[in-house]
Amino acid sequence: MSNGSVEPDRAAGPSRSPARPARGWALAGSVVLGLLTVVYGLLVMSLRPAAIATLAVLVGFAFIVTGITQISLAGGMDRSWRWLAYLSGVVSVIAGIAAFAWPGLTLLVLAVVIAWALVINGVVRIVGSVANRDRDLWWLGLLAGAVELLLGLWAISAPGREVLLLVNLVGIYLIVAGLDAIVDPLAGRRRERTEPVR
C-alpha cells in the first residue's frame, strides 16, 4: 500500500546507465579512428605510391567542398565583392576536379606552393621577431622563422624535394592527429573514473 512517499530510486530520476554503452561506443570509435589515422600517416610517410595518390584525392575533395561552401555563402556578401566570392568558389571547384584528373601534377604544384610559402613566412617571421625584440620570448618566433626558412630553402633547392617535404609534413600531421584522437578520450575517461561522485 502506498503511503504517498516516493521511492529514492524513482525520485532521483531515470537511470543513466543506458548512456554508458553509447559513451563506450563513442570512445571505441574515436580510438579506432585514431589508430587508422596513425596507420595512414605512416603509410604516407613510407612513400608508397598508392598512399601518396590518396593525398591528391583528399586535396581535390577539400577544394570542392571549400568551393561549394564559398559559392553558397557568396549571396550574403556585399554586392561589390559578391562576384569575387563566386569566382573564388568556381576556381576552387575547378581545382578540385583537376586534382582528381591529374593527381601527380596537383601534388607537385601544391608542394612547390607550400615550399615557397615556408620561405616567405619564415622571412616575415624572422623580420617581425627581430623588430619586436622588446617582447618576451621574441626569440621563439625567430627560431620558428629560421626553421621554416631552412625547410623551404631545402625543399626548393632540388627537384622532388618539395613533394618529399609535403608528404612528410602531412604524414607527421596525421600521426599527431591520430594520437590525439586516441589519447584525449582515454584521458577524459580516466578523469571521469577518478573524479569523486557528487
Side-chain angles (χ1 to χ4, degrees):
M1 181 176 180
S2 174
N3 57 2
S5 62
V6 181
E7 296 180 4
D9 292 342
R10 294 181 181 178
S15 176
R16 295 185 179 181
S17 58
R20 291 183 178 178
R23 185 177 301 176
W25 280 110
L27 176 64
S30 179
V31 171
V32 170
L33 181 61
L35 288 173
L36 291 176
T37 304
V38 171
V39 171
Y40 181 49
L42 292 174
L43 286 175
V44 169
M45 294 185 68
S46 70
L47 301 179
R48 295 179 183 271
I52 295 176
T54 59
L55 291 180
V57 175
L58 293 177
V59 170
F61 182 74
F63 273 131
I64 291 175
V65 171
T66 302
I68 293 175
T69 304
Q70 188 75 19
I71 293 173
S72 63
L73 296 177
M77 298 184 64
D78 186 79
R79 288 187 176 182
S80 58
W81 296 101
R82 190 176 300 174
W83 67 271
L84 186 60
Y86 280 120
L87 178 62
S88 174
V90 170
V91 170
S92 183
V93 171
I94 294 175
I97 296 173
F100 287 112
W102 302 285
L105 181 61
T106 299
L107 284 182
L108 178 60
V109 172
L110 185 62
V112 171
V113 170
I114 290 178
W116 279 104
L118 283 173
V119 172
I120 296 172
N121 193 58
V123 172
V124 172
R125 194 184 296 271
I126 290 172
V127 172
S129 300
V130 173
N132 294 279
R133 291 194 302 270
D134 55 334
R135 294 184 179 181
D136 294 334
L137 302 177
W138 65 273
W139 55 271
L140 287 178
L142 179 66
L143 180 61
V147 171
E148 289 177 334
L149 178 61
L150 291 176
L151 273 177
L153 291 175
W154 175 83
I156 63 179
S157 62
R161 284 185 177 178
E162 301 95 338
V163 177
L164 182 62
L165 176 63
L166 172 65
V167 168
N168 281 282
L169 288 178
V170 172
I172 292 172
Y173 171 79
L174 289 171
I175 292 173
V176 172
L179 291 175
D180 181 66
I182 296 171
V183 173
D184 187 62
L186 291 177
R189 185 71 174 270
R190 180 173 297 180
R191 284 195 300 269
E192 289 180 359
R193 290 181 176 178
T194 56
E195 285 180 355
V197 179
R198 296 180 180 179

